[in-house]
Amino acid sequence: MILLDGRAIAAELRAETRAQVAARLAAGRRAPALAVVLAGDDPASHLYVRNKVKACREVGIRSLEHRLPADVTQGRLLALVAELNANPEVDGILVQLPLPPGCDAREVVAAIAPHKDVDGFHPLNAGRLALGWPSVVPCTPAGCLHLIERVHPDLAGLQAVVVGRSPVVGRPMASLLIARSATVTVAHSRTRDLPRLCREADILVVAAGRPELVRGDWIRQGATVIDVGINRVTGPDGQARLVGDVAFAEAAQVAGALTPVPGGVGPLTVAFLLRNTLQAAG
Ligand code: NDP
């Protein structure tokens, strides 16, 4: 079984980005700049933003943090996005989701200038990706595809099953796999007989947010399994730990390639954010 070591693979990608940023600076251009907007006090969001800001610093991307209180108004958020859109020193804008209750994330995301939308969540970018046009690709599915292509450089004709249909992971993942000529089925909470469907997959991407949903006997022998899920659970010893959407030990007996949680998809997500920011800087 190939263990897809996201930490090591992401480190390679970050090194490439670091070299490209250094080449820009050597050519007399300014460092790419990412504005990060964090509203409210969701602890997971704070952790994600910390990781993203640290990763920016390590490759030479400037990050500009905008922290707003949990009672921020929609108007204040939209005004900040407008200001960042107009600022020529800002190449990328990331609004960390979820937003506090009372804020409309769709409206905020749609207000970001599409060329600064490094998450690829703007409807224009999402639409371009769905149409198979060149577009900004959301970071998590981009990371999943990168891992998949390490195992299968050519996806044509392979059977792919994506569990989850969110705008952040499942849908863009399906578009990326279709663009690589895989045969794609998207499953969700209303899918009938999910275990049987999963067993048909050469490539199984799971982004359901359900701890250890996918069991070993749902996996075809030799399949490539990408576990996007990050779930905090309390173990029998009372200790909190992170688990994915796939029962790792069981899956490892059957899969041909598998991502661990943590240390699988997560680091790739951050590495692709840096890439998207550099790309937005032009
Ligand atoms: P959402 O909650 O937005 O979407 C979950 C999807 O899974 C929905 O489409 C839902 O179906 C489907 N689903 C839920 N339960 C089942 C089930 N029992 N059987 C089949 N399908 C089911 O989550 P996200 O896509 O945002 O995230 C998914 C997971 O990935 C989470 O654990 C999240 O923390 C993690 N994540 C990890 C990232 C990383 O960098 N590693 C980045 C982003 C997310 P329906 O539409 O019918 O409700």
Side-chain angles (χ1 to χ4, degrees), residues 48 140 163-170 187-191 194 206-210 213 227-231 245 265-266 269:
Y48 295 148
T140 299
V163 182
R165 57 175 163 179
S166 76
V168 176
V169 191
H188 45 75
S189 67
R190 308 292 295 274
T191 295
L194 186 60
V206 191
R210 298 281 178 266
L213 170 72
D227 186 355
V228 184
I230 303 177
N231 308 286
D245 289 350
V265 174
T269 297

Side-chain angles (χ1 to χ4, degrees), residues 137-162:
V137 178
C139 307
T140 299
C144 294
L145 184 67
H146 186 84
L147 292 172
I148 294 167
E149 287 186 323
R150 289 267 167 148
V151 186
H152 308 277
D154 180 9
L155 299 180
L158 294 181
Q159 196 75 38
V161 171
V162 179

